[in-house]
Amino acid sequence: MSTIREVAAKAGVSVTTVSRTLNNRGYISQSMRERIRKAMEELNYQPNEVARSLSFQHTRMIGVLVPEVNNPFFAEVVTRLSRELTAHGYRMLLYIASGTDDDAPDYIAMLRSNQVDGMIVALRSPSVEKELRDGLPTVSFERLPSGGLPTVVCDNLEGGRLAARELLDCGCRRPVMLGGRHAIENFPAFERFRGYRETMEAAGYPAEIYEINEEDYHNDYSEAARKVFLAYPDMDGIFCTSDRIASFVMQEALRRGVRIPEQLKVVGFNDCIAGQCAIPLTSVRQPLDEMCAAAVDCVIRQIERQPITAAMSFPVSLSRRVSTRGYVASPYIMRR
Amino acid sequence: MSTIREVAAKAGVSVTTVSRTLNNRGYISQSMRERIRKAMEELNYQPNEVARSLSFQHTRMIGVLVPEVNNPFFAEVVTRLSRELTAHGYRMLLYIASGTDDDAPDYIAMLRSNQVDGMIVALRSPSVEKELRDGLPTVSFERLPSGGLPTVVCDNLEGGRLAARELLDCGCRRPVMLGGRHAIENFPAFERFRGYRETMEAAGYPAEIYEINEEDYHNDYSEAARKVFLAYPDMDGIFCTSDRIASFVMQEALRRGVRIPEQLKVVGFNDCIAGQCAIPLTSVRQPLDEMCAAAVDCVIRQIERQPITAAMSFPVSLSRRVSTRGYVASPYIMRR
C-alpha cells in the first residue's frame, strides 16, 4: 500500500493537489484528475470511497431553474443567484422553462447526468415535483413549500395586506385586484390575494378580484388590462400581482386618458422595474438580496451536509411612489 | 486485442452505449463512462484517442457570457439562446458579469476546466479578449468583430439612420441623441451614433449628442435623464441608444410635465420593453430570434468542425409607436 506522497510524485503534481482532488476542493482539471487517478491505480492507492469520489466528483455547478428571465423579477433573481454562486466558487447552469415546464424533467435528468451539486428551483409543476423527490440538494424559490423541499419565499400574505392598505390610505373606495392563477395553492399570488381580501373585508370594502384567464396570462398583459377596464369602468384603485401586469394597466390608463394617480391609483408587486416606469410605480418590495443569498447558502449547506432552516420567509415592505402618492418634493422612493 | 462487443459485455451495457460513449453522442452518465472505461482498460481495448476522448469528453455545455440579464435586451438574448441550445441538446452555463468584467477571465478559465464545448460571448473587454484567443469554439454576440472571432451583430449603423429619419419625419428640428460609451469602437452604440450623425448632417441639422458619463452609465439612468433635460431644455426629439435609457427619459419628461409625443418625440433601441412602456415607445428592432439562432448554429458548427460565416450582420427595422406617432386607431406596433 503506497502513500499520497508517492502518488503525487508519480502524477508529477504536489501533494496538495492530490489531497485537493481527493477532497474535491478548488478546481482540478479533468485531465489532471485523470493523471492522478491513473497514478493511484498503478500504485494501488485506491480505497473505494476515493474511486467513488473521483467518478462522482463535485462539479461546483448548481442548476438554476426559472420560468423566464424576460420577466424583470426573475432577471433580478438570476442576477443575484449568479453573483452569490460565483462568490462561493460555484457556477450556474441555467434552465429557462419555455412557457410550459414540460421539458423541465428531461432537463433535470440532464443536470443529474451532468452532475450538478445541487439545484435552486423557481418552477413548480407536478412533473417537476416528481423529478425533485430524491437526495440531490435542492431549494425551492418563491414557491410555497410542497414536496417537503427547503423553501425561500417572501411574506406574500403581508404583501397583499400592504397593497390593500395603501389603496385604502390613498382614499380608494372602488379598488380592484388583478392577477392570475390565484387558484393554484403553490403560486405566490394565492397568498397575495388572501392578504388583500382579508384587509379589504376587514375595512368593509368588497374584495373585487379580476382573475386573468390562462390565454391572457403571458408576457403581454395588454389584453388583460383592456378587459379589467371594461369590467370595472369606475375603479379608482388597482393592485396588480406583478409590476409587469401593472405596467400594462398604466399603459391602458394613459391610452384612455385616465390620470394616474388622480383618477386611478396603482400598486404593483416585486419592485424590480417599478422605479423605472414612466409613472414611478408604488410596489411591494421583496428583499431579493437576502432571499437569494439564503437560497444559495441553503443549497451549499446541504452539499456540505450542514443543518439548514427548511422554510424561510422574508419580510416585505412597501415602496411608495407616484402611482399612488403623486409627484412630491422627491418623486423617488420612500420606504415604509 | 478485444472487440467493442466484449467491452459492452464486460461493462454490462449495449454495444450502442459503448459506441455512443466513444463518439460522445447522447448523454452517458459519468459513472457509466467510468465503467466502460474500466472494461476497456481491463480488456486492453484502448487506443490513445479513445483514452483522450474519455478524459476530454464533450459535455454538451455552452458557456454564455453576458454583462447583465436585468437589462431587458440581454434577458431576451439569454432566453432565446437557452431555447436554441436546449433544442440542440446543449445546456447553458451562464455567466453574468458583475458590472465590471474583471472576474470574467477567471470565469472563462473555470468554464475551460469545466470543459464547455464552446462559448457565446456578449462581453468585450481587453481582459476577456486575451482569454478568448485560442481554439475553443466561440461566437461574439452584439460586439463588433475584434480578435478575429466569429461575430453576430445587427446593422447598428442603419439603426442609427432609422432613428434619425423617424425624428425628422415627425417634424423634430432640435433633436438630441443620448447614449454612452460611443468612444469605444467595439461597442454597438458607436455605429448607432455614426448612422444618426450621418443622417442628421445630410439633412442639414446639427447632430447634438449627449454622452452619458461613466458614473451615470448603469441600470438607473434617472441622473442622465435629468442632465440631458438641463443641457437641452428646448429639445423636441430624442434618440436613446437603448429602450432602458429611453424609459428614464420618458419618466423625467412626465415628471416635468413635458407631453410625449406632442412636445417631445422619443425613439429607443432594441424593442424589447418598448411595447410595454406606459407610453408605447418607438424603437429600432433587432431580429433577435434569427440572431440567437445564428449564434448557436455558429458555435455548434465550430464544435462539429463545419464551415462557418465569420461575421453575420442582421437587418434592423423600426417599430413605430405612440412616443413618436401619438395614439392612432391602433396604438400597437406598425412595422416599417
Side-chain angles (χ1 to χ4, degrees):
Chain A
M1 186 63 188
S2 54
T3 71
I4 188 168
R5 201 167 301 284
E6 293 172 274
V7 172
K10 187 160 196 68
V13 300
S14 70
V15 171
T16 325
T17 307
V18 177
S19 94
R20 277 168 62 223
T21 309
L22 294 177
N23 302 301
N24 297 303
R25 278 209 207 78
Y27 306 105
I28 313 285
S29 75
Q30 191 77 10
S31 52
M32 183 169 299
R33 279 182 192 283
E34 204 44 53
R35 235 162 68 216
I36 293 169
R37 198 185 166 293
K38 269 207 157 56
M40 289 177 177
E41 271 177 8
E42 289 166 34
L43 294 170
N44 188 33
Y45 176 88
Q46 195 159 27
N48 285 337
E49 59 276 20
V50 171
R52 212 160 34 246
S53 85
L54 284 175
S55 354
F56 300 99
Q57 49 187 261
H58 284 223
T59 57
R60 299 192 75 84
M61 284 195 296
I62 302 295
V64 171
L65 282 66
V66 296
E68 48 188 359
V69 294
N70 48 5
N71 169 328
F73 171 71
F74 288 108
E76 294 294 334
V77 167
V78 166
T79 299
R80 286 165 172 74
L81 288 178
S82 165
R83 195 180 302 140
E84 282 295 318
L85 288 169
T86 306
H88 288 81
Y90 284 82
R91 269 98 64 229
M92 177 173 68
L93 206 51
L94 181 67
Y95 169 77
I96 303 167
S98 47
T100 73
D101 305 346
D102 299 348
D103 43 3
D106 297 350
Y107 201 86
I108 294 171
M110 277 201 253
L111 290 182
R112 288 251 175 66
S113 77
N114 221 73
Q115 292 181 287
V116 292
D117 294 346
M119 288 196 282
I120 299 173
V121 182
L123 293 175
R124 179 62 85 236
S125 75
S127 53
V128 174
E129 288 285 340
K130 223 166 62 277
E131 285 302 318
L132 296 177
R133 295 261 166 72
D134 87 345
L136 191 65
T138 304
V139 176
S140 170
F141 192 88
E142 244 316 74
R143 293 290 178 263
L144 297 184
S146 152
L149 292 172
T151 308
V152 171
V153 294
C154 75
D155 187 345
N156 287 292
L157 184 66
E158 177 64 10
R161 292 187 188 124
L162 286 176
R165 272 188 226 115
E166 174 70 359
L167 290 177
L168 294 173
D169 293 352
C170 294
C172 299
R173 295 300 170 253
R174 298 177 304 281
V176 175
M177 175 165 183
L178 175 66
R181 303 192 182 178
H182 65 274
I184 305 173
E185 290 241 4
N186 58 26
F187 263 75
F190 180 76
E191 289 291 295
R192 297 172 193 174
F193 278 96
R194 203 153 65 81
Y196 176 84
R197 183 180 288 112
E198 274 180 19
T199 306
M200 280 300 166
E201 285 166 356
Y205 290 95
E208 293 292 346
I209 289 178
Y210 186 89
E211 188 184 356
I212 301 172
N213 56 38
E214 210 56 34
E215 70 267 15
D216 292 338
Y217 197 91
H218 40 57
N219 275 334
D220 181 334
Y221 296 104
S222 46
E223 195 49 39
R226 268 195 293 278
K227 287 178 179 172
V228 74
F229 274 92
L230 294 176
Y232 297 97
D234 66 345
M235 64 180 174
D236 58 2
I238 184 165
F239 167 42
C240 306
T241 49
S242 80
D243 292 342
R244 194 185 195 89
I245 296 173
S247 70
F248 282 93
V249 167
M250 291 198 288
Q251 179 181 86
E252 182 66 15
L254 291 192
R255 187 162 145 276
R256 293 166 167 267
V258 173
R259 294 200 314 285
I260 298 172
E262 295 80 357
Q263 296 164 282
L264 179 68
K265 298 182 171 46
V266 185
V267 177
F269 205 107
N270 291 339
D271 200 4
C272 291
I273 50 169
Q276 298 157 30
C277 296
I279 297 172
L281 174 67
T282 293
S283 184
V284 177
R285 182 184 194 80
Q286 312 186 39
L288 276 189
D289 287 332
E290 294 82 343
M291 290 168 71
C292 293
V296 168
D297 179 66
C298 181
V299 76
I300 292 177
R301 281 174 163 279
Q302 292 178 65
I303 294 166
E304 295 174 349
R305 308 238 184 298
Q306 295 171 40
I308 59 163
T309 313
M312 288 171 279
S313 176
F314 288 79
V316 293
S317 60
L318 187 70
S319 301
R320 294 190 180 77
R321 298 197 180 87
V322 177
S323 67
T324 55
R325 299 286 167 155
Y327 290 98
V328 292
S330 155
Y332 300 102
I333 180 169
M334 298 171 289
R335 200 62 61 73
R336 184 183 209 184
Chain B
M1 186 61 186
S2 54
T3 71
I4 189 168
R5 201 167 302 285
E6 293 172 277
V7 172
K10 190 162 194 65
V13 300
S14 70
V15 171
T16 325
T17 306
V18 176
S19 92
R20 277 169 62 223
T21 309
L22 294 176
N23 303 302
N24 297 302
R25 279 207 207 79
Y27 305 106
I28 313 286
S29 76
Q30 191 75 11
S31 52
M32 182 167 300
R33 280 182 192 283
E34 204 44 53
R35 232 161 71 218
I36 293 169
R37 196 181 172 295
K38 270 204 156 51
M40 289 176 176
E41 271 176 9
E42 289 166 34
L43 292 170
N44 189 30
Y45 176 89
Q46 194 159 24
N48 284 337
E49 59 276 19
V50 172
R52 215 162 30 248
S53 85
L54 283 176
S55 349
F56 301 99
Q57 50 187 258
H58 284 223
T59 58
R60 299 192 75 82
M61 284 194 296
I62 301 295
V64 172
L65 283 66
V66 296
E68 48 189 357
V69 294
N70 49 5
N71 169 329
F73 172 70
F74 288 108
E76 292 294 335
V77 168
V78 166
T79 299
R80 287 165 171 75
L81 289 178
S82 165
R83 195 180 302 140
E84 282 295 319
L85 288 169
T86 306
H88 288 81
Y90 283 82
R91 268 99 64 229
M92 177 172 69
L93 206 50
L94 181 67
Y95 169 77
I96 303 167
S98 47
T100 72
D101 304 347
D102 298 348
D103 44 1
D106 298 349
Y107 201 88
I108 294 172
M110 276 199 255
L111 290 181
R112 289 249 173 68
S113 77
N114 222 75
Q115 293 181 288
V116 292
D117 294 346
M119 288 195 281
I120 298 174
V121 182
L123 292 175
R124 180 62 86 236
S125 76
S127 54
V128 173
E129 288 285 341
K130 228 168 55 277
E131 285 301 320
L132 296 176
R133 295 259 166 73
D134 87 345
L136 192 65
T138 303
V139 176
S140 170
F141 192 89
E142 242 320 72
R143 292 291 177 262
L144 297 183
S146 151
L149 292 173
T151 309
V152 171
V153 294
C154 75
D155 186 345
N156 286 293
L157 183 66
E158 177 63 10
R161 293 187 187 123
L162 286 176
R165 272 190 226 112
E166 174 69 359
L167 291 177
L168 294 173
D169 293 351
C170 294
C172 299
R173 294 300 170 254
R174 298 177 304 281
V176 175
M177 175 165 182
L178 176 66
R181 304 191 182 177
H182 66 274
I184 304 172
E185 291 240 4
N186 57 27
F187 263 74
F190 181 76
E191 289 291 293
R192 297 173 193 174
F193 278 97
R194 201 152 66 80
Y196 176 85
R197 184 181 286 110
E198 273 180 21
T199 307
M200 280 301 166
E201 285 167 355
Y205 290 95
E208 294 293 346
I209 289 178
Y210 186 89
E211 188 185 357
I212 300 172
N213 58 38
E214 211 57 33
E215 69 268 15
D216 293 338
Y217 197 90
H218 40 59
N219 275 335
D220 181 334
Y221 295 103
S222 46
E223 195 49 39
R226 269 195 292 278
K227 286 178 178 171
V228 75
F229 274 93
L230 293 176
Y232 297 97
D234 67 344
M235 66 180 172
D236 58 1
I238 184 165
F239 167 42
C240 306
T241 49
S242 80
D243 292 343
R244 194 187 195 84
I245 296 173
S247 69
F248 282 93
V249 167
M250 291 198 289
Q251 179 182 84
E252 182 66 14
L254 291 192
R255 188 163 143 276
R256 292 166 167 269
V258 173
R259 294 199 313 284
I260 297 172
E262 295 79 359
Q263 296 165 284
L264 179 68
K265 297 180 171 46
V266 185
V267 177
F269 205 105
N270 292 339
D271 201 5
C272 292
I273 51 168
Q276 297 158 30
C277 297
I279 297 172
L281 175 66
T282 293
S283 184
V284 177
R285 182 184 194 79
Q286 311 186 39
L288 277 189
D289 287 333
E290 294 83 341
M291 290 168 71
C292 293
V296 168
D297 179 67
C298 181
V299 76
I300 291 177
R301 281 174 163 281
Q302 293 177 65
I303 293 166
E304 296 174 348
R305 308 238 184 298
Q306 295 172 38
I308 59 162
T309 312
M312 290 171 277
S313 176
F314 289 77
V316 293
S317 60
L318 187 70
S319 301
R320 295 189 180 79
R321 298 197 180 86
V322 179
S323 68
T324 55
R325 299 288 166 153
Y327 290 98
V328 290
S330 155
Y332 300 102
I333 180 169
M334 299 172 289
R335 199 64 61 69
R336 186 186 207 181

